[in-house]
Amino acid sequence: MPPFAQTRHFVFDAYGTLFDFASAARRCTDRLGDKADALTQLWRTKQVEYTWLRSLMGRHADFWQVTGEALDNAMASLDLADPALRERLMGLYLELEPFADARDLLEALRADGRQTAILSNGAPHMLRPLVEAAGFTALFDHVLSVESTGIFKPHPSTYRLATTRFGCEARDIAFVSANSWDSCGAASFGFRGIWINRTGGPKEAVPGTSEREIRALGDIKALAGLA
């Protein structure tokens, strides 16, 4: 039997897992030119770093503010002094493109009666338009933001949002993330982790190991007995 055939709850990270954060800069190549890839990498690196630093400092700010501060750092590093471009990139972050195999997987899970949710660092006012722009609203039972905890993933209290909302144990949830650090944090909490390792990179050397490592969202269909 496929390892996740009996799992009823599938919880997904948003940024980098369901939605391609590189799509914002990619849609601004008319202004960024050959700096688009570098901006994406710097922006994402600083965004994640700032969530960890704010959590350690006990100085929480919502993910929208963190995302803007990370973009400011990335643009300054690349000598991009362009307020209009900054505004455009931030706007595009509210309508990031979903990965090509996301809809098919979510529809298959829903058709089989599985419950689905997003659990994200994103603030509610970021996640709502993101899910709506992709046409995914009906494909989730819940869209959960860490904002109610006042701290970012991978703090255990953030993962507890899912067990509380579904009224189940951690082992009853399959948690899907393309971010190794998030996958490790979820597995450490007790979720049955599925790490989407799209780049074939190494696992982060921190506690927690996902139960399965795959290369694409579509691979989950076989794990769940849907293929």
Side-chain angles (χ1 to χ4, degrees):
M1 178 181 293
F4 291 86
Q6 302 301 318
T7 303
R8 307 313 301 168
H9 312 296
F10 284 77
V11 177
F12 296 83
D13 169 59
Y15 302 106
T17 301
L18 293 172
F19 301 97
D20 184 3
F21 52 75
S23 66
R26 193 164 57 237
R27 292 162 71 180
C28 292
T29 53
D30 59 315
R31 297 290 296 155
L32 290 169
D34 60 5
K35 292 184 178 181
D37 289 344
L39 180 78
T40 292
Q41 183 175 353
L42 281 169
W43 188 5
R44 178 59 173 173
T45 297
K46 287 300 177 182
Q47 182 191 51
V48 174
E49 285 181 0
Y50 290 172
T51 65
W52 296 337
L53 290 169
R54 282 187 171 276
S55 294
L56 287 168
M57 295 166 70
R59 299 291 298 274
H60 184 74
D62 76 15
F63 200 59
W64 182 251
Q65 179 176 329
V66 170
T67 298
E69 291 168 346
L71 178 57
D72 290 339
N73 182 281
M75 291 183 69
S77 297
L78 296 171
D79 296 321
L80 293 167
D82 189 335
L85 175 60
R86 182 194 189 278
E87 182 177 1
R88 182 179 172 191
L89 286 163
M90 288 295 288
L92 288 170
Y93 215 83
L94 300 177
E95 49 185 61
L96 296 174
E97 297 171 6
F99 286 99
D101 48 358
R103 177 177 294 278
D104 180 65
L105 169 63
L106 293 169
E107 289 179 344
L109 289 170
R110 298 291 285 177
D112 196 55
R114 314 294 178 99
Q115 291 190 300
T116 56
I118 284 175
L119 173 57
S120 173
N121 277 337
H125 66 85
M126 298 175 69
L127 295 171
R128 190 177 306 110
L130 181 68
V131 172
E132 289 176 353
F136 284 0
T137 303
L139 299 179
F140 292 105
D141 294 283
H142 307 292
V143 177
L144 306 175
S145 167
V146 306
E147 195 58 29
S148 63
T149 69
I151 198 167
F152 293 108
K153 293 189 287 184
H155 193 274
S157 65
T158 63
Y159 300 115
R160 195 170 295 116
L161 291 170
T163 55
T164 298
R165 185 59 61 92
F166 281 124
C168 67
E169 299 297 323
R171 63 177 177 273
D172 298 324
I173 289 177
F175 183 83
V176 182
S177 181
N179 300 293
S180 180
W181 59 268
D182 188 21
S183 176
C184 291
S188 181
F189 178 74
F191 287 152
R192 299 185 66 192
I194 301 174
W195 176 30
I196 305 174
N197 186 4
R198 291 192 177 97
T199 64
K203 171 190 175 296
E204 299 289 356
V206 295
T209 300
S210 288
E211 189 171 325
R212 288 292 187 276
E213 178 182 333
I214 58 178
R215 296 303 294 270
L217 278 165
D219 296 341
I220 295 172
K221 291 175 69 175
L223 295 179
L226 302 176

